[in-house]
Amino acid sequence: MAFVIVKPKRDKSLLRCHPWVFSGAVAKTRGQLQPGDTVDVVTPQGNWLGRGAYSPRSQICVRIWTFDEDEAIEAPFFHRRIERAAANRRELVERQQLTGYRLVNAESDGLPGVIIDRYGDYLVCQFLTLGAEVWKDTIVQQLQALMPVAGIYERSDSPVRDKEGLPRQTSVLAGNAPPATIEFHEGALRFWVDVHNGHKTGFYLDQRDNRRQMNGHADAAEVLNCFAYTGGFGVAALKAGARRVTNVDLSAAALDLSQRNILLNDLNPDQVEHVEADVFKQLRYYRDAARRFDLIVLDPPKFADSRAQVSRASRGYKDINLLAIKLLREGGYLFTFSCSGLIEPELFQKIVADAALDAGREVQIVRRLNQAADHLTALNFPEGHYLKGLLCRVW
Ligand code: SAH
């Protein structure tokens, strides 16, 4: 067995079971070590800390698979982790009647770099790290044994693979290739997902709990759904009784699927408008045209990829929140989100508070919003909590 020896005093995060070893924390390696190999991480004194996947090209040069010295990293390990992840979601899936949900949420399910989403009869995976890539075939075999599906497809075309020295790729890993669009259900809501061309694995499953919050807030409302993508919030709003929904997005393909999602749910397309536009410009257009709405959703893409981008991202969030708050009728609702992990909930709240102040409106937090329950966060991996939002009432 090869070893990675961490520098003195750089064992603290590992002793707290945080699964990442940064290259700057490594003193030296010992033994024959190939990229992707399983390696034991030890202190300078030789005390065992954890066992993980070695990825020398990445700034995170080891991702810990296990903190149990007796646990071997072989097929049964992956079987146990996937089985536990599936068991963990069984009750949720039944209670909420989900045929689309996240089955494995990477580090938070003890499988760094491995994302597995289920859509109907298909599993769509992302293998984002070298360790995940090396064990891909084993993971696919365990998935086939645990849950027979029509096909297992890989969307490992995320840019984060570049940091690991891995090519971006998509492929059919088992069974049939998924059709161009797959239908799945979230309780009473039905959606089409394009797992071939959609973002990530195709759908924002992480917003499920927040879609449900449309109930009780969207009744008879005129809704503006910004960064609508394939219209998840728009469908939920109409189902919750909205009078009119305007979906705004830059992507024509996403809006086409949103249109199809309206029809799939037997909703009236006459109540929906699709606007292919830049939200930053469209909000200003509505401001200048004195348009008003009862409910606005702001669910932008990640604005901050690195710490250096946080202040620019903050200005972006403030800009759209300020414009949206001004467009709301008295007593209207703002659903505002940030999926940038680097924007902490406290900072996000402060940005929205600054926007409210500049807008000259009184704003209350009705509810704090988070990623859905199948996107759980391991306590030893706080980075796993990336999606935060506020449901605000605007006076
Ligand atoms: N709310 C969506 C997910 C949003 S993902 C859902 O619940 O499914 C972010 C979306 O923002 C993407 O669809 C992307 O096309 C769109 N987008 C990114 N920048 C944009 C901009 N400046 N104006 C409009 N849409 C934008």
Side-chain angles (χ1 to χ4, degrees):
M1 176 59 89
F3 293 97
V4 162
I5 302 161
V6 295
K7 290 179 182 164
K9 303 208 179 100
R10 297 300 293 267
D11 56 354
K12 290 208 176 58
S13 65
L14 287 159
L15 290 170
R16 294 182 58 80
C17 293
H18 190 279
W20 290 352
V21 181
F22 287 93
S23 51
V26 172
K28 55 182 169 238
T29 61
R30 187 164 290 163
Q32 282 296 316
L33 207 45
Q34 297 298 320
D37 278 359
T38 300
V39 63
D40 277 357
V41 182
V42 299
T43 66
Q45 295 76 33
N47 294 325
W48 194 88
L49 291 166
R51 180 171 294 139
Y54 181 58
S55 182
R57 291 270 297 264
S58 171
Q59 272 189 37
I60 303 171
C61 69
V62 181
R63 294 190 196 235
I64 300 295
W65 292 121
T66 183
F67 290 97
D68 175 356
E69 194 169 356
D70 298 328
E71 190 164 41
I73 306 309
E74 292 164 356
F77 164 80
F78 293 96
H79 185 93
R80 285 194 298 277
R81 290 282 153 108
I82 297 167
E83 194 171 46
R84 188 183 72 175
N88 214 342
R89 287 150 175 88
R90 206 157 283 143
E91 190 274 337
L92 175 80
V93 165
E94 274 172 32
R95 179 165 41 88
Q96 295 196 359
Q97 308 248 299
L98 308 176
T99 63
Y101 58 93
R102 176 147 299 183
L103 179 68
V104 172
N105 193 30
E107 274 81 348
S108 291
D109 278 305
L111 289 172
V114 182
I115 301 273
I116 305 172
D117 289 339
R118 181 166 190 156
Y119 298 109
D121 262 342
Y122 290 85
L123 296 176
V124 184
C125 313
Q126 292 183 298
F127 297 93
L128 299 173
T129 59
L130 188 56
E133 178 72 22
V134 163
W135 289 99
K136 179 159 77 182
D137 292 347
T138 307
I139 291 168
V140 169
Q141 281 161 17
Q142 301 312 317
L143 284 170
Q144 285 176 299
L146 278 163
M147 51 176 64
V149 287
I152 304 179
Y153 185 65
E154 162 183 38
R155 276 294 303 275
S156 298
D157 53 347
S158 164
V160 304
R161 299 242 313 179
D162 305 354
K163 298 182 186 173
E164 301 273 328
L166 292 167
R168 301 186 196 182
Q169 65 190 48
T170 60
S171 73
V172 178
L173 297 171
N176 305 327
T181 50
I182 304 173
E183 183 184 333
F184 73 94
H185 299 175
E186 265 183 22
L189 308 185
R190 291 152 182 257
F191 294 110
W192 290 114
V193 53
D194 175 351
V195 302
H196 297 275
N197 306 301
H199 296 167
K200 305 187 290 180
T201 68
F203 199 82
Y204 287 87
L205 295 166
D206 55 0
Q207 287 287 19
R208 180 188 318 111
D209 292 357
N210 307 323
R211 283 189 275 280
R212 289 157 68 91
Q213 287 300 321
M214 287 292 145
N215 294 315
H217 299 110
D219 196 32
E222 214 175 319
V223 174
L224 176 61
N225 182 18
C226 298
F227 309 97
Y229 190 50
T230 56
F233 281 111
V235 167
L238 284 169
K239 279 273 190 186
R243 192 156 41 89
R244 212 179 152 69
V245 170
T246 304
N247 290 311
V248 182
D249 202 284
L250 274 177
S251 160
L255 292 175
D256 280 348
L257 208 49
S258 170
Q259 181 75 33
R260 285 181 58 197
N261 281 328
I262 298 293
L263 302 175
L264 182 64
N265 285 276
D266 297 322
L267 295 163
N268 181 357
D270 296 342
Q271 287 173 268
V272 188
E273 189 189 357
H274 285 99
V275 180
E276 185 188 330
D278 180 336
V279 165
F280 289 84
K281 292 194 183 130
Q282 193 66 12
L283 288 172
R284 287 179 165 79
Y285 168 79
Y286 289 141
R287 175 193 67 192
D288 296 343
R291 269 286 294 273
R292 292 293 177 267
F293 298 90
D294 303 302
L295 189 161
I296 298 179
V297 180
L298 295 176
D299 183 24
K302 197 161 150 190
F303 284 167
D305 269 324
S306 66
R307 291 211 184 275
Q309 293 172 356
V310 166
S311 65
R312 205 179 62 118
S314 301
R315 286 195 294 278
Y317 288 118
K318 169 142 181 227
D319 184 46
I320 52 177
N321 278 280
L322 171 61
L323 288 160
I325 288 169
K326 284 186 170 174
L327 291 181
L328 280 164
R329 296 198 175 96
E330 200 171 331
Y333 290 105
L334 174 68
F335 284 69
T336 181
F337 297 97
S338 164
C339 61
S340 307
L342 292 164
I343 305 279
E344 307 252 326
E346 296 72 26
L347 173 58
F348 186 58
Q349 181 173 325
K350 191 172 171 303
I351 293 166
V352 179
D354 285 350
L357 205 61
D358 284 10
R361 304 285 294 270
E362 194 185 328
V363 179
Q364 301 158 324
I365 298 174
V366 179
R367 191 182 279 272
R368 291 172 202 283
L369 306 172
N370 289 295
Q371 62 212 50
D374 49 347
H375 291 58
L376 37 75
T377 307
L379 266 183
N380 59 332
F381 186 64
E383 293 86 344
H385 179 225
Y386 61 97
L387 179 63
K388 70 227 68 99
L390 297 170
L391 163 49
C392 295
R393 190 113 206 231
V394 177
W395 297 101

